Amino acid sequence: EVQLVESGGGLVQPGGSLRLSCAASRFTFGSYRMSWVRQVPGKGPEWVSGINSGGDVTYYADSVKGRFTISRDNAANTLYLQMNSLKPEDTAAYYCVLGSYWGQGTQVTVSS
């Protein structure tokens, strides 16, 4: 079964940066579009960013455009999300998503 394992979350001050990683296994990673989705307790999930299988086409929610960068290393079966200029409203659990498959998530907290 598909396995997605996120890492890289943590506590950061406003204006800071974090880089999330998602280690993918048990499927042909390089053949699939991937996404990052975030969720705050009590609220519905918010799509953040997506990337095509080859890594040359990317998509972003307006809320993160210009601050976040999605990328992938198909040789290493890993998806990334570079997050810069973080804001308190970016606080959420971040999930790596392939279709209906979600990882366990990594918590990002932006606070002074």
Side-chain angles (χ1 to χ4, degrees):
E1 184 168 310
V2 167
Q3 189 165 42
L4 302 167
V5 180
E6 301 93 337
S7 61
L11 173 64
V12 62
Q13 292 187 341
S17 298
L18 284 174
R19 189 193 196 199
L20 306 184
S21 298
C22 171
S25 60
R26 301 180 184 177
F27 69 103
T28 308
F29 178 72
S31 296
Y32 293 92
R33 173 177 173 169
M34 299 293 298
S35 297
W36 287 98
V37 173
R38 65 188 181 186
Q39 188 164 20
V40 176
K43 294 188 177 181
E46 176 189 11
W47 174 81
V48 172
S49 182
I51 188 168
N52 72 335
S53 59
D56 58 335
V57 181
T58 57
Y59 311 85
Y60 298 95
D62 287 344
S63 58
V64 307
K65 199 172 294 182
R67 300 186 299 120
F68 290 10
T69 303
I70 190 171
S71 63
R72 65 192 298 161
D73 182 343
N74 285 345
N77 290 344
T78 304
L79 178 71
Y80 301 101
L81 186 67
Q82 177 67 44
M83 305 186 296
N84 298 330
S85 302
L86 283 161
K87 304 175 180 180
E89 52 263 43
D90 294 318
T91 295
Y94 284 71
Y95 298 89
C96 172
V97 176
L98 166 65
S100 62
Y101 295 97
W102 292 46
Q104 87 289 349
T106 187
Q107 179 67 35
V108 172
T109 302
V110 185
S111 175
S112 54

